[in-house]
Amino acid sequence: MLPLAGSLLGTEWLHGQSQSISNTVLEPGARNFFKELGLRTFINAAGTYTSMTGSLMHKEVTSAISYGATEYVNLDELHDKVGERIAELLGCEYATVSSGAFGAMTIGVAGVMAGMDNKKVEQLPDVTGLKHEVIVQESHNIGYTHALINAGAKIINVKNTRELEKAINNKTAMLWFLNASTEIGSIKHEEFVALGKKHGIPTFIDCAADVPPVENLFKFTKLGFDLVCFSGGKGIRGPQSAGLLLGKRKYIEAARLHTPPRGATIGRGMKVNKEEVLGMLVALELYLQRDHAKEWKMWEAQIKLISDSAKSVKGVETEIHVPPHANHVPSLKVRWDQNIIKMTASEARNKLKNGHPSIETVGSEKEIGITTWMMEPGQERQVASRLKEVLSNA
């Protein structure tokens, strides 16, 4: 009906309507989508939590994503080329962009269990006739092992080296290690890898939140782990729905058999399209080029600013610390005498969240936890001021 409408109403009217539609739909920079949807944005003083949508991507990353949306390309070929490029950057045999660290775990264990046999690939999560037991230190089994269970794996919990070796049998497919729980497991990295090599069983380490330090991107493949995974949307600041699977080529090529464009596989829904693949590659390139020492000093200064501001309130004490594994960045714990400041930490956190600007933190009834590495420069001053105000008013 448009030609008729044009003849009746005139091309000027149609042009106006077209322009109106364009302004409403096709120019996202002109729209505040979150405001339209009734959502509040916030200053992220908590960290790279999925519930808080991880990290913010740099403009070079979003430009790569936008570029990816302008052309068609063969998906497998793109994954091949980017995998080779990432492996070159990180000095490992091979790599692939996955649907987050969780997705990397699922396709990784699936690759180990099914190998390059397409019939076995399509068989999963039915593990009949396949090695499918994954041995995990009990202290490392905090829930993310569900990514392994999704592929049909059975988790075997052990407490120490003796139990681990006793648990190995003809059904054992893999040994899995959670880097965030390194300190509470009795078996450490080197021994874990050695046990895998001794018994001819591949080892997998989950390092989802273990960047920074940048050295971790190289450390664990060089240490001998057969597979290593990282989240893409945390410290690397790539797409939140992407991740990295690094390690031995034979296992990653097998893992790829479970991913799109193949359809009859457990990984069909873990699609990583061209835009995310390019975004992840550029995010990694940028991260490797960063001045990490300078960035660390900035975080230390930001944390000290907030700490000093909080401590200026009577009854408040603070602790600056750096977690040894996972979210290894300068962080702050804020506590106070509740006989002086009549407020629990949870109440204070709610005031920060519901105030202006909205500030998200972590913590408990007794303390507030703050990091600055996901803030935009200058926001640390807003957090310092607002935290002092909330504590002073109580």
Side-chain angles (χ1 to χ4, degrees):
M1 291 179 65
L2 283 174
L4 176 60
S7 63
L8 294 175
L9 300 171
T11 57
E12 184 176 343
W13 180 87
L14 278 178
H15 176 74
Q17 292 303 301
S18 175
Q19 189 65 40
S20 175
I21 293 170
S22 175
N23 287 340
T24 302
V25 179
L26 301 179
E27 296 180 13
R31 298 176 64 181
N32 187 330
F33 290 102
F34 296 134
K35 187 174 181 179
E36 285 181 28
L37 294 168
L39 297 170
R40 283 194 82 187
T41 58
F42 54 82
I43 292 175
N44 185 352
T48 56
Y49 291 89
T50 297
S51 62
M52 299 180 194
T53 56
S55 61
L56 298 182
M57 294 180 283
H58 294 291
K59 64 180 181 180
E60 293 91 342
V61 179
T62 56
S63 292
I65 291 171
S66 296
Y67 173 81
T70 64
E71 300 279 359
Y72 294 103
V73 69
N74 180 280
L75 185 59
D76 261 337
E77 290 179 2
L78 176 63
H79 272 286
D80 290 341
K81 296 293 186 183
V82 170
E84 294 284 1
R85 172 66 175 146
I86 291 172
E88 179 185 348
L89 288 170
L90 299 183
C92 56
E93 275 192 26
Y94 200 43
T96 194
V97 178
S98 62
S99 57
F102 199 89
M105 286 170 56
T106 299
I107 65 171
V109 73
V112 169
M113 291 192 295
M116 299 299 290
D117 187 327
N118 282 308
K119 287 186 178 180
K120 292 178 180 177
V121 168
E122 295 185 9
Q123 175 185 323
L124 293 180
D126 176 2
V127 294
T128 303
L130 303 180
K131 292 183 177 182
H132 63 281
E133 292 184 356
V134 178
I135 299 177
V136 179
Q137 292 186 76
E138 189 174 61
S139 56
H140 289 212
N141 190 0
I142 63 171
Y144 293 117
T145 49
H146 211 297
L148 309 174
I149 296 170
N150 286 351
K154 179 182 178 181
I155 305 302
I156 307 297
N157 289 301
V158 299
K159 293 180 180 178
N160 51 46
T161 301
R162 183 183 61 80
E163 288 187 8
L164 187 152
E165 294 202 272
K166 187 178 179 181
I168 293 173
N169 59 60
N170 60 5
K171 294 181 181 178
T172 305
M174 194 171 77
L175 310 181
W176 183 84
F177 192 100
L178 178 63
N179 197 58
S181 295
T182 296
E183 301 303 317
I184 58 175
S186 66
I187 311 172
K188 306 305 181 186
H189 299 114
E190 292 82 359
E191 184 183 4
F192 199 81
V193 169
L195 287 166
K197 292 187 184 305
K198 175 182 175 181
H199 295 280
I201 301 169
T203 51
F204 191 135
I205 184 168
D206 173 9
C207 296
D210 288 287
V211 176
V214 64
E215 292 79 15
N216 280 354
L217 289 167
F218 307 87
K219 175 181 178 179
F220 297 106
T221 51
K222 286 181 169 54
L223 200 59
F225 280 95
D226 297 288
L227 290 168
V228 184
C229 70
F230 292 93
S231 173
K234 297 186 186 297
I236 301 174
R237 295 183 67 168
Q240 172 68 359
S241 52
L244 296 174
L245 180 62
L246 317 173
K248 295 291 192 298
R249 178 180 286 273
K250 67 177 181 178
Y251 295 126
I252 293 178
E253 287 182 342
R256 283 273 305 279
L257 294 182
H258 298 269
T259 64
R262 287 150 289 278
T265 69
I266 58 166
R268 173 63 183 181
M270 301 174 191
K271 186 182 297 180
V272 187
N273 207 18
K274 60 187 189 299
E275 295 85 3
E276 294 168 306
V277 174
L278 291 180
M280 193 65 245
L281 173 61
V282 171
L284 179 62
E285 290 173 340
L286 284 174
Y287 184 73
L288 293 174
Q289 294 166 11
R290 248 182 254 175
D291 186 335
H292 299 282
K294 181 179 179 181
E295 192 170 50
W296 189 271
K297 288 180 180 179
M298 178 185 73
W299 294 335
E300 286 182 324
Q302 291 172 329
I303 283 292
K304 186 178 185 304
L305 174 75
I306 298 171
S307 175
D308 289 347
S309 180
K311 285 194 299 183
S312 69
V313 180
K314 183 180 178 181
V316 175
E317 61 181 43
T318 65
E319 177 190 344
I320 296 175
H321 67 108
V322 178
H325 305 284
N327 303 305
H328 178 78
V329 293
S331 304
L332 181 68
K333 294 178 181 178
V334 183
R335 310 180 189 95
W336 55 86
D337 183 343
Q338 293 186 11
N339 292 316
I340 299 175
I341 298 174
K342 309 290 187 178
M343 180 188 297
T344 67
S346 293
E347 289 170 338
R349 290 182 60 222
N350 282 330
K351 286 186 177 294
L352 290 170
K353 178 179 179 178
N354 297 321
H356 299 279
S358 175
I359 300 169
E360 286 282 4
T361 59
V362 292
S364 64
E365 283 294 312
K366 296 182 178 180
E367 67 182 26
I368 296 176
I370 289 174
T371 66
T372 64
W373 68 313
M374 288 297 117
M375 293 183 194
E376 293 296 291
Q379 289 181 338
E380 73 279 1
R381 296 185 178 281
Q382 293 176 279
V383 172
S385 174
R386 182 75 183 117
L387 177 61
K388 180 178 179 178
E389 180 183 18
V390 166
L391 296 174
S392 298
N393 287 344

